[in-house]
Amino acid sequence: MWTQADLLNLFKELDIAFVLNEHEAVFTVAQAEGVRGRLDGVLGKCLFLHSLEGRYWLAAVPADMRVDLKKLAQALDCRRLSFAPPEKLDEYLKLYPGSVCPYGVLNDESGRVLAVVEESLATSEQLLFFHPLENTASVGVSAANLLRVLEYAGHKPVIAGGIGKDG
């Protein structure tokens, strides 16, 4: 199972520049508001979803985005998406609610979970901040390096645009 220390070592191995900000445990985007002011970049959140077809998705989006699950399902060619149960989060990604992050796919050895990155994140010129497998820190990397880590994990992401409630 990958840990925060393992992830930071991977960044060093792959020569990925990163900014680590340790903070109190946060479980929701609302709780992360106090952290946001200390981060010079885009704060992200992840949604762990499943489809009627039995597929699982880990979608990385900006923290302030309200995701339209119908639009996202269309973008992913699914009939319908809903939030996956926490036990599947633990089983497939070895994460717990509040620590969900794109780096969880490093723990998905079965390849059951498909990665999704919202388009504005994938093209951002700012650092993208997500939890580093634990909710007591946020780590910022460039968009290119986030995509690189996902591909390293064998989870080349789908880039999805137009999935917000207002766009």
Side-chain angles (χ1 to χ4, degrees):
M1 181 174 98
W2 284 74
T3 66
Q4 177 177 308
D6 296 329
L7 177 64
L8 299 180
N9 285 333
L10 176 64
F11 289 165
K12 291 172 187 170
E13 276 179 43
L14 298 177
D15 199 27
I16 291 176
F18 65 92
V19 173
L20 180 67
N21 181 293
E22 295 179 330
H23 50 72
E24 65 281 352
V26 293
F27 294 90
T28 66
V29 171
Q31 289 176 336
E33 287 297 321
V35 172
R36 183 186 313 247
R38 294 181 265 166
L39 304 177
D40 187 19
V42 178
L43 182 62
K45 67 180 178 185
C46 285
L47 308 175
F48 184 54
L49 307 165
H50 69 110
S51 66
L52 287 174
E53 299 86 3
R55 294 185 287 175
Y56 289 84
W57 305 88
L58 182 62
V61 301
D64 59 358
M65 175 178 273
R66 292 182 52 225
V67 176
D68 184 323
L69 292 181
K70 288 181 183 179
K71 289 179 183 178
L72 181 55
Q74 287 177 324
L76 300 175
D77 197 26
C78 296
R79 285 187 290 151
R80 189 171 136 204
L81 290 170
S82 58
F83 288 92
E87 51 275 4
K88 293 296 182 184
L89 179 63
D90 177 47
E91 180 181 346
Y92 295 143
L93 301 179
K94 309 298 183 233
L95 296 173
Y96 53 90
S99 69
V100 184
C101 66
Y103 308 114
V105 297
L106 289 161
N107 288 319
D108 179 31
E109 296 173 6
S110 68
R112 287 285 311 256
V113 180
L114 302 168
V116 179
V117 176
E118 193 276 328
E119 185 176 39
S120 71
L121 291 182
T123 60
S124 179
E125 298 202 8
Q126 296 182 303
L127 291 180
L128 306 179
F129 283 88
F130 290 95
H131 291 310
L133 302 166
E134 298 174 16
N135 67 346
T136 56
S138 297
V139 66
V141 300
S142 70
N145 282 326
L146 172 64
L147 299 177
R148 194 169 148 214
V149 171
L150 296 176
E151 288 185 30
Y152 171 89
H155 289 74
K156 182 176 175 152
V158 172
I159 308 300
I163 61 171
K165 290 262 187 201
D166 302 318

